[in-house]
Amino acid sequence: MTVHHNDLNNESMNSMTSPARSKQEDKSVNEQSLGGEFVDYPHCNSCDPLTATFQRVVINGLSRDENNPYDLFHALALSVKEQMMHDWRRTRFEDIQAQRKQVAYLSLEFLMGRALGNTLLNLGLTEEAEQVVQQYRVDLAQLETLEHDAGLGNGGLGRLAACFLDSCACMDLPVTGYGIRYEYGMFTQKIVNGYQVEQADRWLKGGHPWDVIAPNHNVLVPFYGRCEVHVDHEGRQHHTWVDTQDVIAVAYDVPVPGYRNNRVNTLRLWKAQATEGFDLEEFNQGDYTEAVAYKNLAEQITMVLYPNDSSENGKELRLRQQYFLSSASLQDILNTWVKNHGRDFTDFSRLNVMQLNDTHPAIAVPELMRLLMDHYALGWNEAWKITSGCMAYTNHTLLPEALECWPVRMFELILPRILEIVYEINARYLNLVAHHWPGDSDKLTQMSIIDNTGEPTIRMAYLAIVASFSVNGVAGLHTQLLKSGLFQQFYALWPDKFNNKTNGVTPRRWLAFSNPRLARLLDQKLGEQWIEDLTLLQGLKDFLNEDAFLQEWREIKKQNKVDLVTLIKKECSVDFDPEMLFDVQVKRIHEYKRQLLNILHVIHLYQKVLKGNVDNMVPRCVLIAGKAAPGYAMAKLIVKLANNVAEMVNSEPLMQPYLRFAFLPNYNVTAMEKICPATDLSEQISTAGKEASGTGNMKFMMNGALTIGTLDGANIEILEAVGDDAFFLFGMNAEEVDHLRPHYQPQQFIESSSELFDVLTLLKSGHFNLLEPGIFDPIIYAIESSDEPWMTAADFESFRCAQQAVAQTYLDKKRWAQLSIRNTASSGGFSSDATIAAYRDDIWHV
Ligand code: 26Q
């Protein structure tokens, strides 16, 4: 069954890319959009104060029931959105008119979390909103809790995209985020009998007040079909992709306001819709069910976020998501270009850049080639010059197994025209490789975009590198390892492409909004400028020896801990005590992140208390949270172990004064907003060389936590910034990990540490799984296995000692407070503003 472009000749689709549209038409649109001044609507509602807007929204019945808190939340969100409308339209108008270079941040994930509190903060409307809702006898904080997280991402990579959008808007940069409007975001995690159970995240069920549909931006994305070649009378080949099954991409725009600067950028999320003509033809032929099946096939595309944070190879639906996002976004960008510049693409790559968030949207490379050649009749060389002049690729992983590869046969079926173009890119590029390394046929095999060693696959990272003018890693060590390892040969070929951009996090959400107590203190002591220039936090060092200040600092941490205690009690029924040390590890559950090392340490402390070995022991509350990919059995077993150990620890009365342990279910952005302000000790304990950067480490540091960590990812830069006396370093470095690997004998480490030996003995005895014998065998087996890649046993003793040093330090309250202040004071470099400034200056040149 096929649905053709021309099934869509109806009114609502008239703005779609059509190769046939004449220059004449383009020109008239051009004049229309640039012809005049920015005209505001006569009754500009955004000019009303929030109070008036809110009352009108409520009175007009946009909120159904003013006694229902959820309806009030909705009304407030709608009102706040309306406040942004004027600036939003003006921002778009001015960016086009000024002919500023535009950046498109292409990402399969945007982990936005809640919007209300952060939007009010950025717009400076928090106090007014408080007063407005007080008239209805509810408080703002309570209303905020009714908003569902926009969980359109897995973890670090998706949250980074969200932090970047905030920084770009704050720094007045014309950057548009392009993503997918998943019907179901990251799954909700329940814990049942200690096991993770996934539930669908119906985040849109109560309606989504923030977005605006932009139907005039709809485009058609082709799938399946076949390729045809025509030779014209001058002997030139013309490729067409015919008999395609097209899917409509519908644009949903979400506003991204800057910090009190009147800029409102856009996050454009695409939703898949079956073409309207889908049923007619088939239905008339009596093929009703196939017609409906097509509708499902089309609308499936944006139904659900893949919940893996390492690649899941070979899933057809995932490939369709990637192409859908890439094609829709590029068509949109080209439509805007043609509207404003006509079909002359001479300046396109000077005025446009696409930042690829990992290889997930790397298929944008052949897609841009296709659109330029097949839709706009450019020749190969011209199209390649443009494409390779505007693509920039960010890599987020060092694990070779996480590099995306797609079976050629899948491209053949779903994206036949794209496959032709990939082959051609590869052929021309291999020619260059052959010239660079004459006679070295191994190089050609190793570096080919097509991997022919087994079933032929397309190496997406290679495709991205070949086509990009910039390739960046996300922390110093990560970039270094890319250059010396994974992408070594590419670095030899194109050293100038490679650069580092250490990640960062937005201080608006992660300090000003999440930690209002601390923010108030910073305002008092440093002035309010720190929010936009986080290096000003250095000024805190002037107060290191003021006892009153230290006292205030500790009191804030204490209050934040009290808040977290309430949450832990509610969600886990575990009593945390704000007087105890809060030792926290929250992140996706992964073997390389070594939650297991943390749990083994908890078991060790448990044994210490059982033995009565409690002299000098510092009472601690250990918190772990995170989601395991639903298909990752080992990660799920680690969740079960954490929950079972927690159960044993918390039910043993002897532990009460010394040790409490909780696994918080359903870790997400909103949970982190409560967790990071209350944390004393941040666990960043990945096997060195495996964590590309980490960003949770930065949020904790900003909020005054000390880090216990390995020399991995951005931990290295955190350590350098704060000084080694304010960081608990342990474990092997990346080089040592590599050297030990071939000779690794975990037994040696187990025999030489009686503590580790005792921990494993207790674990093996079945003490933590009395009712489920044998369930933890895979974990025990892994720890004792010589090819355990994460070398948990090797780092245990060093970790335990570092934890002892933590305890020693915590005993001295004053010293701990000083080290905590130094962490916050030194965190300015980890603002995503600094990261975005570097993207702007070195890559985007906007
Ligand atoms: C790929 C193909 C198919 C299905 C899923 C995926 C997929 C999805 C998400 C692969 C990877 C991810 C996410 C990766 C990620 O979050 N990486 C983290 O990125 C952070 C931001 O740069 C770093 O700080 C972390 O170190 C890195 O692990």
PDB file of all heavy atoms in Angstrom, residues 488-517:
ATOM      1  N   GLN A 488      40.893   7.386  16.540  1.00  0.00           N
ATOM      2  CA  GLN A 488      42.309   7.664  16.302  1.00  0.00           C
ATOM      3  C   GLN A 488      42.642   7.949  14.837  1.00  0.00           C
ATOM      4  O   GLN A 488      43.311   8.933  14.510  1.00  0.00           O
ATOM      5  CB  GLN A 488      43.094   6.443  16.777  1.00  0.00           C
ATOM      6  CG  GLN A 488      44.567   6.613  16.833  1.00  0.00           C
ATOM      7  CD  GLN A 488      45.211   5.269  17.189  1.00  0.00           C
ATOM      8  OE1 GLN A 488      44.540   4.241  17.335  1.00  0.00           O
ATOM      9  NE2 GLN A 488      46.519   5.280  17.343  1.00  0.00           N
ATOM     10  N   GLN A 489      42.138   7.098  13.948  1.00  0.00           N
ATOM     11  CA  GLN A 489      42.497   7.243  12.540  1.00  0.00           C
ATOM     12  C   GLN A 489      41.869   8.479  11.917  1.00  0.00           C
ATOM     13  O   GLN A 489      42.450   9.113  11.043  1.00  0.00           O
ATOM     14  CB  GLN A 489      42.097   5.985  11.791  1.00  0.00           C
ATOM     15  CG  GLN A 489      42.940   4.796  12.240  1.00  0.00           C
ATOM     16  CD  GLN A 489      42.354   3.478  11.828  1.00  0.00           C
ATOM     17  OE1 GLN A 489      41.135   3.316  11.822  1.00  0.00           O
ATOM     18  NE2 GLN A 489      43.212   2.537  11.481  1.00  0.00           N
ATOM     19  N   PHE A 490      40.706   8.812  12.414  1.00  0.00           N
ATOM     20  CA  PHE A 490      40.046  10.027  11.917  1.00  0.00           C
ATOM     21  C   PHE A 490      40.788  11.268  12.408  1.00  0.00           C
ATOM     22  O   PHE A 490      40.885  12.262  11.710  1.00  0.00           O
ATOM     23  CB  PHE A 490      38.581  10.058  12.360  1.00  0.00           C
ATOM     24  CG  PHE A 490      37.768   8.979  11.697  1.00  0.00           C
ATOM     25  CD1 PHE A 490      37.659   7.717  12.281  1.00  0.00           C
ATOM     26  CD2 PHE A 490      37.119   9.211  10.494  1.00  0.00           C
ATOM     27  CE1 PHE A 490      36.928   6.717  11.664  1.00  0.00           C
ATOM     28  CE2 PHE A 490      36.394   8.220   9.868  1.00  0.00           C
ATOM     29  CZ  PHE A 490      36.292   6.963  10.458  1.00  0.00           C
ATOM     30  N   TYR A 491      41.307  11.147  13.619  1.00  0.00           N
ATOM     31  CA  TYR A 491      42.084  12.257  14.169  1.00  0.00           C
ATOM     32  C   TYR A 491      43.360  12.458  13.348  1.00  0.00           C
ATOM     33  O   TYR A 491      43.773  13.593  13.087  1.00  0.00           O
ATOM     34  CB  TYR A 491      42.409  11.982  15.641  1.00  0.00           C
ATOM     35  CG  TYR A 491      43.210  13.086  16.285  1.00  0.00           C
ATOM     36  CD1 TYR A 491      42.718  14.383  16.334  1.00  0.00           C
ATOM     37  CD2 TYR A 491      44.463  12.819  16.845  1.00  0.00           C
ATOM     38  CE1 TYR A 491      43.462  15.401  16.918  1.00  0.00           C
ATOM     39  CE2 TYR A 491      45.202  13.825  17.435  1.00  0.00           C
ATOM     40  CZ  TYR A 491      44.702  15.117  17.469  1.00  0.00           C
ATOM     41  OH  TYR A 491      45.428  16.113  18.037  1.00  0.00           O
ATOM     42  N   ALA A 492      43.945  11.342  12.910  1.00  0.00           N
ATOM     43  CA  ALA A 492      45.139  11.445  12.063  1.00  0.00           C
ATOM     44  C   ALA A 492      44.802  12.137  10.736  1.00  0.00           C
ATOM     45  O   ALA A 492      45.586  12.920  10.213  1.00  0.00           O
ATOM     46  CB  ALA A 492      45.725  10.057  11.808  1.00  0.00           C
ATOM     47  N   LEU A 493      43.635  11.836  10.214  1.00  0.00           N
ATOM     48  CA  LEU A 493      43.221  12.393   8.916  1.00  0.00           C
ATOM     49  C   LEU A 493      42.812  13.858   9.027  1.00  0.00           C
ATOM     50  O   LEU A 493      43.152  14.680   8.175  1.00  0.00           O
ATOM     51  CB  LEU A 493      42.068  11.530   8.381  1.00  0.00           C
ATOM     52  CG  LEU A 493      41.565  11.752   6.955  1.00  0.00           C
ATOM     53  CD1 LEU A 493      42.705  11.594   5.952  1.00  0.00           C
ATOM     54  CD2 LEU A 493      40.444  10.745   6.644  1.00  0.00           C
ATOM     55  N   TRP A 494      42.056  14.170  10.072  1.00  0.00           N
ATOM     56  CA  TRP A 494      41.493  15.524  10.222  1.00  0.00           C
ATOM     57  C   TRP A 494      41.704  16.052  11.648  1.00  0.00           C
ATOM     58  O   TRP A 494      40.710  16.235  12.389  1.00  0.00           O
ATOM     59  CB  TRP A 494      39.978  15.484   9.960  1.00  0.00           C
ATOM     60  CG  TRP A 494      39.579  15.166   8.542  1.00  0.00           C
ATOM     61  CD1 TRP A 494      39.952  15.815   7.405  1.00  0.00           C
ATOM     62  CD2 TRP A 494      38.653  14.134   8.138  1.00  0.00           C
ATOM     63  NE1 TRP A 494      39.319  15.245   6.307  1.00  0.00           N
ATOM     64  CE2 TRP A 494      38.530  14.229   6.728  1.00  0.00           C
ATOM     65  CE3 TRP A 494      37.923  13.147   8.823  1.00  0.00           C
ATOM     66  CZ2 TRP A 494      37.704  13.365   5.989  1.00  0.00           C
ATOM     67  CZ3 TRP A 494      37.102  12.296   8.088  1.00  0.00           C
ATOM     68  CH2 TRP A 494      37.006  12.410   6.686  1.00  0.00           C
ATOM     69  N   PRO A 495      42.934  16.319  12.048  1.00  0.00           N
ATOM     70  CA  PRO A 495      43.156  16.738  13.445  1.00  0.00           C
ATOM     71  C   PRO A 495      42.375  18.004  13.809  1.00  0.00           C
ATOM     72  O   PRO A 495      41.957  18.157  14.956  1.00  0.00           O
ATOM     73  CB  PRO A 495      44.668  16.972  13.518  1.00  0.00           C
ATOM     74  CG  PRO A 495      45.126  17.080  12.102  1.00  0.00           C
ATOM     75  CD  PRO A 495      44.179  16.289  11.267  1.00  0.00           C
ATOM     76  N   ASP A 496      42.167  18.876  12.844  1.00  0.00           N
ATOM     77  CA  ASP A 496      41.527  20.160  13.164  1.00  0.00           C
ATOM     78  C   ASP A 496      40.037  20.061  13.462  1.00  0.00           C
ATOM     79  O   ASP A 496      39.458  20.979  14.038  1.00  0.00           O
ATOM     80  CB  ASP A 496      41.734  21.154  12.013  1.00  0.00           C
ATOM     81  CG  ASP A 496      43.210  21.481  11.839  1.00  0.00           C
ATOM     82  OD1 ASP A 496      43.983  21.198  12.777  1.00  0.00           O
ATOM     83  OD2 ASP A 496      43.580  21.987  10.757  1.00  0.00           O
ATOM     84  N   LYS A 497      39.436  18.956  13.060  1.00  0.00           N
ATOM     85  CA  LYS A 497      38.001  18.816  13.349  1.00  0.00           C
ATOM     86  C   LYS A 497      37.743  18.605  14.842  1.00  0.00           C
ATOM     87  O   LYS A 497      36.682  18.926  15.353  1.00  0.00           O
ATOM     88  CB  LYS A 497      37.432  17.577  12.636  1.00  0.00           C
ATOM     89  CG  LYS A 497      37.168  17.754  11.156  1.00  0.00           C
ATOM     90  CD  LYS A 497      36.355  16.566  10.627  1.00  0.00           C
ATOM     91  CE  LYS A 497      36.252  16.670   9.103  1.00  0.00           C
ATOM     92  NZ  LYS A 497      35.315  15.672   8.549  1.00  0.00           N
ATOM     93  N   PHE A 498      38.714  18.002  15.524  1.00  0.00           N
ATOM     94  CA  PHE A 498      38.449  17.524  16.882  1.00  0.00           C
ATOM     95  C   PHE A 498      38.626  18.622  17.931  1.00  0.00           C
ATOM     96  O   PHE A 498      39.602  19.361  17.906  1.00  0.00           O
ATOM     97  CB  PHE A 498      39.352  16.329  17.198  1.00  0.00           C
ATOM     98  CG  PHE A 498      38.905  15.081  16.479  1.00  0.00           C
ATOM     99  CD1 PHE A 498      39.194  14.900  15.134  1.00  0.00           C
ATOM    100  CD2 PHE A 498      38.169  14.106  17.138  1.00  0.00           C
ATOM    101  CE1 PHE A 498      38.762  13.769  14.447  1.00  0.00           C
ATOM    102  CE2 PHE A 498      37.727  12.969  16.469  1.00  0.00           C
ATOM    103  CZ  PHE A 498      38.026  12.804  15.118  1.00  0.00           C
ATOM    104  N   ASN A 499      37.681  18.714  18.834  1.00  0.00           N
ATOM    105  CA  ASN A 499      37.775  19.690  19.919  1.00  0.00           C
ATOM    106  C   ASN A 499      36.986  19.239  21.130  1.00  0.00           C
ATOM    107  O   ASN A 499      36.110  18.382  21.029  1.00  0.00           O
ATOM    108  CB  ASN A 499      37.297  21.075  19.437  1.00  0.00           C
ATOM    109  CG  ASN A 499      35.838  21.097  19.040  1.00  0.00           C
ATOM    110  OD1 ASN A 499      34.962  21.456  19.821  1.00  0.00           O
ATOM    111  ND2 ASN A 499      35.536  20.677  17.806  1.00  0.00           N
ATOM    112  N   ASN A 500      37.327  19.803  22.260  1.00  0.00           N
ATOM    113  CA  ASN A 500      36.631  19.455  23.507  1.00  0.00           C
ATOM    114  C   ASN A 500      35.655  20.558  23.920  1.00  0.00           C
ATOM    115  O   ASN A 500      35.956  21.728  23.784  1.00  0.00           O
ATOM    116  CB  ASN A 500      37.643  19.234  24.631  1.00  0.00           C
ATOM    117  CG  ASN A 500      36.936  18.958  25.952  1.00  0.00           C
ATOM    118  OD1 ASN A 500      36.980  19.752  26.884  1.00  0.00           O
ATOM    119  ND2 ASN A 500      36.237  17.842  26.022  1.00  0.00           N
ATOM    120  N   LYS A 501      34.504  20.112  24.414  1.00  0.00           N
ATOM    121  CA  LYS A 501      33.574  21.055  25.032  1.00  0.00           C
ATOM    122  C   LYS A 501      33.069  20.392  26.318  1.00  0.00           C
ATOM    123  O   LYS A 501      32.133  19.582  26.278  1.00  0.00           O
ATOM    124  CB  LYS A 501      32.382  21.348  24.101  1.00  0.00           C
ATOM    125  CG  LYS A 501      32.749  22.097  22.823  1.00  0.00           C
ATOM    126  CD  LYS A 501      33.123  23.556  23.079  1.00  0.00           C
ATOM    127  CE  LYS A 501      33.793  24.154  21.849  1.00  0.00           C
ATOM    128  NZ  LYS A 501      35.209  23.716  21.671  1.00  0.00           N
ATOM    129  N   THR A 502      33.706  20.705  27.412  1.00  0.00           N
ATOM    130  CA  THR A 502      33.272  20.101  28.672  1.00  0.00           C
ATOM    131  C   THR A 502      31.834  20.528  28.982  1.00  0.00           C
ATOM    132  O   THR A 502      31.487  21.702  28.863  1.00  0.00           O
ATOM    133  CB  THR A 502      34.228  20.496  29.810  1.00  0.00           C
ATOM    134  OG1 THR A 502      35.530  20.004  29.483  1.00  0.00           O
ATOM    135  CG2 THR A 502      33.783  19.895  31.138  1.00  0.00           C
ATOM    136  N   ASN A 503      31.030  19.557  29.346  1.00  0.00           N
ATOM    137  CA  ASN A 503      29.616  19.788  29.653  1.00  0.00           C
ATOM    138  C   ASN A 503      29.431  20.813  30.765  1.00  0.00           C
ATOM    139  O   ASN A 503      30.384  21.165  31.469  1.00  0.00           O
ATOM    140  CB  ASN A 503      28.946  18.473  30.112  1.00  0.00           C
ATOM    141  CG  ASN A 503      28.674  17.528  28.948  1.00  0.00           C
ATOM    142  OD1 ASN A 503      28.412  16.352  29.156  1.00  0.00           O
ATOM    143  ND2 ASN A 503      28.721  18.032  27.732  1.00  0.00           N
ATOM    144  N   GLY A 504      28.202  21.238  30.931  1.00  0.00           N
ATOM    145  CA  GLY A 504      27.868  22.138  32.022  1.00  0.00           C
ATOM    146  C   GLY A 504      26.388  21.978  32.351  1.00  0.00           C
ATOM    147  O   GLY A 504      25.667  21.243  31.657  1.00  0.00           O
ATOM    148  N   VAL A 505      25.937  22.630  33.409  1.00  0.00           N
ATOM    149  CA  VAL A 505      24.519  22.547  33.804  1.00  0.00           C
ATOM    150  C   VAL A 505      24.020  23.965  34.075  1.00  0.00           C
ATOM    151  O   VAL A 505      24.801  24.840  34.467  1.00  0.00           O
ATOM    152  CB  VAL A 505      24.332  21.660  35.050  1.00  0.00           C
ATOM    153  CG1 VAL A 505      24.849  20.249  34.782  1.00  0.00           C
ATOM    154  CG2 VAL A 505      25.028  22.229  36.279  1.00  0.00           C
ATOM    155  N   THR A 506      22.731  24.173  33.870  1.00  0.00           N
ATOM    156  CA  THR A 506      22.253  25.547  34.014  1.00  0.00           C
ATOM    157  C   THR A 506      22.064  25.940  35.483  1.00  0.00           C
ATOM    158  O   THR A 506      21.347  25.260  36.228  1.00  0.00           O
ATOM    159  CB  THR A 506      20.952  25.816  33.230  1.00  0.00           C
ATOM    160  OG1 THR A 506      20.438  27.097  33.653  1.00  0.00           O
ATOM    161  CG2 THR A 506      19.878  24.764  33.477  1.00  0.00           C
ATOM    162  N   PRO A 507      22.687  27.033  35.901  1.00  0.00           N
ATOM    163  CA  PRO A 507      22.563  27.487  37.285  1.00  0.00           C
ATOM    164  C   PRO A 507      21.167  28.025  37.595  1.00  0.00           C
ATOM    165  O   PRO A 507      20.837  28.178  38.765  1.00  0.00           O
ATOM    166  CB  PRO A 507      23.601  28.599  37.396  1.00  0.00           C
ATOM    167  CG  PRO A 507      23.836  29.064  36.006  1.00  0.00           C
ATOM    168  CD  PRO A 507      23.582  27.893  35.108  1.00  0.00           C
ATOM    169  N   ARG A 508      20.367  28.346  36.543  1.00  0.00           N
ATOM    170  CA  ARG A 508      19.007  28.802  36.852  1.00  0.00           C
ATOM    171  C   ARG A 508      18.232  27.656  37.510  1.00  0.00           C
ATOM    172  O   ARG A 508      17.744  27.770  38.624  1.00  0.00           O
ATOM    173  CB  ARG A 508      18.284  29.284  35.584  1.00  0.00           C
ATOM    174  CG  ARG A 508      18.428  30.771  35.308  1.00  0.00           C
ATOM    175  CD  ARG A 508      19.792  31.186  34.848  1.00  0.00           C
ATOM    176  NE  ARG A 508      20.204  30.533  33.598  1.00  0.00           N
ATOM    177  CZ  ARG A 508      21.399  30.605  33.037  1.00  0.00           C
ATOM    178  NH1 ARG A 508      22.358  31.302  33.636  1.00  0.00           N
ATOM    179  NH2 ARG A 508      21.689  29.978  31.916  1.00  0.00           N
ATOM    180  N   ARG A 509      18.160  26.518  36.817  1.00  0.00           N
ATOM    181  CA  ARG A 509      17.400  25.413  37.395  1.00  0.00           C
ATOM    182  C   ARG A 509      18.122  24.786  38.585  1.00  0.00           C
ATOM    183  O   ARG A 509      17.506  24.460  39.593  1.00  0.00           O
ATOM    184  CB  ARG A 509      17.102  24.340  36.347  1.00  0.00           C
ATOM    185  CG  ARG A 509      16.257  23.156  36.888  1.00  0.00           C
ATOM    186  CD  ARG A 509      15.882  22.173  35.808  1.00  0.00           C
ATOM    187  NE  ARG A 509      14.974  22.768  34.851  1.00  0.00           N
ATOM    188  CZ  ARG A 509      13.648  22.620  34.838  1.00  0.00           C
ATOM    189  NH1 ARG A 509      13.052  21.883  35.768  1.00  0.00           N
ATOM    190  NH2 ARG A 509      12.912  23.205  33.920  1.00  0.00           N
ATOM    191  N   TRP A 510      19.452  24.599  38.430  1.00  0.00           N
ATOM    192  CA  TRP A 510      20.142  23.738  39.402  1.00  0.00           C
ATOM    193  C   TRP A 510      20.682  24.458  40.628  1.00  0.00           C
ATOM    194  O   TRP A 510      21.239  23.848  41.525  1.00  0.00           O
ATOM    195  CB  TRP A 510      21.221  22.910  38.689  1.00  0.00           C
ATOM    196  CG  TRP A 510      20.594  22.002  37.679  1.00  0.00           C
ATOM    197  CD1 TRP A 510      20.721  22.056  36.325  1.00  0.00           C
ATOM    198  CD2 TRP A 510      19.669  20.921  37.957  1.00  0.00           C
ATOM    199  NE1 TRP A 510      19.945  21.087  35.734  1.00  0.00           N
ATOM    200  CE2 TRP A 510      19.292  20.380  36.705  1.00  0.00           C
ATOM    201  CE3 TRP A 510      19.127  20.363  39.124  1.00  0.00           C
ATOM    202  CZ2 TRP A 510      18.394  19.314  36.590  1.00  0.00           C
ATOM    203  CZ3 TRP A 510      18.238  19.303  39.017  1.00  0.00           C
ATOM    204  CH2 TRP A 510      17.885  18.789  37.770  1.00  0.00           C
ATOM    205  N   LEU A 511      20.527  25.776  40.656  1.00  0.00           N
ATOM    206  CA  LEU A 511      20.901  26.486  41.879  1.00  0.00           C
ATOM    207  C   LEU A 511      19.785  27.473  42.257  1.00  0.00           C
ATOM    208  O   LEU A 511      19.124  27.309  43.276  1.00  0.00           O
ATOM    209  CB  LEU A 511      22.246  27.199  41.670  1.00  0.00           C
ATOM    210  CG  LEU A 511      23.002  27.667  42.900  1.00  0.00           C
ATOM    211  CD1 LEU A 511      23.056  26.609  43.987  1.00  0.00           C
ATOM    212  CD2 LEU A 511      24.438  28.052  42.507  1.00  0.00           C
ATOM    213  N   ALA A 512      19.517  28.431  41.387  1.00  0.00           N
ATOM    214  CA  ALA A 512      18.554  29.481  41.738  1.00  0.00           C
ATOM    215  C   ALA A 512      17.170  28.895  42.037  1.00  0.00           C
ATOM    216  O   ALA A 512      16.535  29.259  43.023  1.00  0.00           O
ATOM    217  CB  ALA A 512      18.450  30.493  40.599  1.00  0.00           C
ATOM    218  N   PHE A 513      16.714  27.970  41.198  1.00  0.00           N
ATOM    219  CA  PHE A 513      15.381  27.420  41.397  1.00  0.00           C
ATOM    220  C   PHE A 513      15.354  26.287  42.426  1.00  0.00           C
ATOM    221  O   PHE A 513      14.497  26.262  43.306  1.00  0.00           O
ATOM    222  CB  PHE A 513      14.788  26.933  40.065  1.00  0.00           C
ATOM    223  CG  PHE A 513      13.489  26.212  40.223  1.00  0.00           C
ATOM    224  CD1 PHE A 513      12.345  26.898  40.620  1.00  0.00           C
ATOM    225  CD2 PHE A 513      13.408  24.841  40.014  1.00  0.00           C
ATOM    226  CE1 PHE A 513      11.131  26.223  40.808  1.00  0.00           C
ATOM    227  CE2 PHE A 513      12.203  24.166  40.201  1.00  0.00           C
ATOM    228  CZ  PHE A 513      11.071  24.875  40.598  1.00  0.00           C
ATOM    229  N   SER A 514      16.302  25.351  42.326  1.00  0.00           N
ATOM    230  CA  SER A 514      16.270  24.165  43.197  1.00  0.00           C
ATOM    231  C   SER A 514      16.649  24.475  44.635  1.00  0.00           C
ATOM    232  O   SER A 514      16.216  23.789  45.547  1.00  0.00           O
ATOM    233  CB  SER A 514      17.245  23.097  42.691  1.00  0.00           C
ATOM    234  OG  SER A 514      16.933  22.699  41.405  1.00  0.00           O
ATOM    235  N   ASN A 515      17.495  25.456  44.809  1.00  0.00           N
ATOM    236  CA  ASN A 515      18.034  25.721  46.143  1.00  0.00           C
ATOM    237  C   ASN A 515      17.789  27.179  46.540  1.00  0.00           C
ATOM    238  O   ASN A 515      18.733  27.964  46.681  1.00  0.00           O
ATOM    239  CB  ASN A 515      19.539  25.396  46.140  1.00  0.00           C
ATOM    240  CG  ASN A 515      20.079  25.183  47.542  1.00  0.00           C
ATOM    241  OD1 ASN A 515      19.463  25.596  48.538  1.00  0.00           O
ATOM    242  ND2 ASN A 515      21.246  24.564  47.631  1.00  0.00           N
ATOM    243  N   PRO A 516      16.507  27.548  46.718  1.00  0.00           N
ATOM    244  CA  PRO A 516      16.198  28.962  46.979  1.00  0.00           C
ATOM    245  C   PRO A 516      16.856  29.492  48.253  1.00  0.00           C
ATOM    246  O   PRO A 516      17.194  30.674  48.327  1.00  0.00           O
ATOM    247  CB  PRO A 516      14.670  28.985  47.093  1.00  0.00           C
ATOM    248  CG  PRO A 516      14.238  27.568  47.262  1.00  0.00           C
ATOM    249  CD  PRO A 516      15.298  26.712  46.649  1.00  0.00           C
ATOM    250  N   ARG A 517      17.050  28.641  49.233  1.00  0.00           N
ATOM    251  CA  ARG A 517      17.686  29.128  50.476  1.00  0.00           C
ATOM    252  C   ARG A 517      19.109  29.582  50.190  1.00  0.00           C
ATOM    253  O   ARG A 517      19.539  30.661  50.587  1.00  0.00           O
ATOM    254  CB  ARG A 517      17.707  28.012  51.530  1.00  0.00           C
ATOM    255  CG  ARG A 517      16.319  27.605  52.011  1.00  0.00           C
ATOM    256  CD  ARG A 517      16.405  26.556  53.125  1.00  0.00           C
ATOM    257  NE  ARG A 517      15.059  26.163  53.541  1.00  0.00           N
ATOM    258  CZ  ARG A 517      14.456  25.051  53.139  1.00  0.00           C
ATOM    259  NH1 ARG A 517      15.066  24.210  52.316  1.00  0.00           N
ATOM    260  NH2 ARG A 517      13.228  24.771  53.562  1.00  0.00           N
TER     261      ARG A 517
END
